[in-house]
């Protein structure tokens, strides 16, 4: 689990600059959290209160003066989801990590093999929903395993290990 070294408020509205103990620096735009959470919506009308944030629990979370807190794990997930990344690299890394065939990647994501090949070649941009699905399966492999139901019954979906 990532641990925060420090946190600062960015010039961008409702964005935090996260300094992780690993030396990695990321931004996390929390405007979605503020817009959709009844608890965090109080910051929408009080950006000054949003700026009064500090690291707590030895880097495992953050807290505002008003008592609201948020885990470092969720901050990392938001920052990772918002980070720019090459969709081809994402799919190839996912495929390599789990030793999946193109057919298995297609089954996991709900696409035909031809579409997976188009993603991997760069002919088709990887949609945000596909990125979210891959990130979710990487963080929670049980989701991938659930998507692979009946994989052993299919002749074309043999495991590679």
């Amino acid at each position: 689990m990532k641990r925060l070294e420090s946190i600062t408020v960015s010039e961008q509205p409702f964005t935090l600059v996260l300094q992780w103990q690993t030396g990695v620096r990321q931004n996390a735009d929390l405007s979605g959290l503020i817009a959709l959470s009844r608890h965090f919506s109080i910051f929408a009308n009080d950006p000054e209160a949003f700026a009064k944030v500090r690291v707590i629990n030895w880097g495992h979370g953050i807290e505002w003066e008003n008592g609201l807190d948020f885990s470092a794990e969720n901050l990392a997930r938001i920052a990772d989801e918002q980070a720019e990344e090459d969709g081809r690299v994402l799919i190839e890394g996912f495929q390599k990590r789990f030793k999946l065939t193109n057919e298995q990647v297609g089954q996991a994501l709900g696409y035909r093999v031809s579409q997976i090949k188009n993603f991997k070649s760069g002919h088709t941009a990887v949609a945000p929903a596909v990125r979210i699905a891959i990130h979710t399966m990487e963080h929670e492999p049980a989701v991938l395993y659930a998507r692979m139901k009946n994989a052993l019954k299919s002749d074309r979906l043999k495991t590679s290990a």
Side-chain angles (χ1 to χ4, degrees), residues 77 80-81 97-98 134-141:
R77 185 72 186 261
D80 289 345
E81 287 295 331
R97 176 177 177 202
F98 290 102
I134 290 173
H135 290 159
T136 299
M137 287 184 248
E138 287 179 333
H139 287 290
E140 300 175 39

Side-chain angles (χ1 to χ4, degrees), residues 69-110:
D69 61 9
F70 205 67
S71 73
E73 182 178 4
N74 283 327
L75 283 170
R77 185 72 186 261
I78 289 172
D80 289 345
E81 287 295 331
Q82 293 173 346
E84 294 292 324
E85 65 186 327
D86 184 329
R88 296 174 297 184
V89 172
L90 177 66
I91 287 182
E92 288 173 3
F94 171 66
Q95 187 172 18
K96 184 177 180 180
R97 176 177 177 202
F98 290 102
K99 299 178 183 153
L100 302 173
T101 64
N102 285 340
E103 290 83 5
Q104 289 170 320
V105 173
Q107 181 177 352
L109 297 173

Side-chain angles (χ1 to χ4, degrees), residues 10-161:
S10 169
E11 292 180 11
Q12 299 296 321
F14 306 113
T15 300
L16 301 173
V17 180
L18 313 171
Q19 181 65 51
W20 300 102
Q21 290 183 353
T22 60
V24 173
R25 189 179 187 97
Q26 291 181 297
N27 290 339
D29 179 341
L30 300 186
S31 58
L33 175 68
I34 293 166
L36 300 174
S37 165
R38 68 183 176 99
H39 299 291
F40 288 86
S41 65
I42 63 167
F43 293 126
N45 296 321
D46 194 359
E48 289 179 15
F50 180 80
K52 296 175 182 174
V53 62
R54 66 184 180 103
V55 175
I56 60 168
N57 297 331
W58 302 278
H60 291 287
I62 60 173
E63 180 181 59
W64 286 268
E65 281 188 354
N66 63 11
L68 285 174
D69 61 9
F70 205 67
S71 73
E73 182 178 4
N74 283 327
L75 283 170
R77 185 72 186 261
I78 289 172
D80 289 345
E81 287 295 331
Q82 293 173 346
E84 294 292 324
E85 65 186 327
D86 184 329
R88 296 174 297 184
V89 172
L90 177 66
I91 287 182
E92 288 173 3
F94 171 66
Q95 187 172 18
K96 184 177 180 180
R97 176 177 177 202
F98 290 102
K99 299 178 183 153
L100 302 173
T101 64
N102 285 340
E103 290 83 5
Q104 289 170 320
V105 173
Q107 181 177 352
L109 297 173
Y111 284 94
R112 293 190 170 129
V113 174
S114 59
Q115 184 62 48
I116 299 304
K117 289 179 179 178
N118 284 336
F119 288 150
K120 289 173 62 177
S121 70
H123 289 341
T124 304
V126 176
V130 173
R131 292 174 190 272
I132 292 167
I134 290 173
H135 290 159
T136 299
M137 287 184 248
E138 287 179 333
H139 287 290
E140 300 175 39
V143 175
L144 169 63
Y145 307 148
R147 297 288 304 150
M148 302 306 293
K149 66 182 182 177
N150 300 320
L152 296 176
K153 294 180 183 178
S154 173
D155 289 337
R156 61 189 185 103
L157 294 176
K158 298 294 180 190
T159 57
S160 58

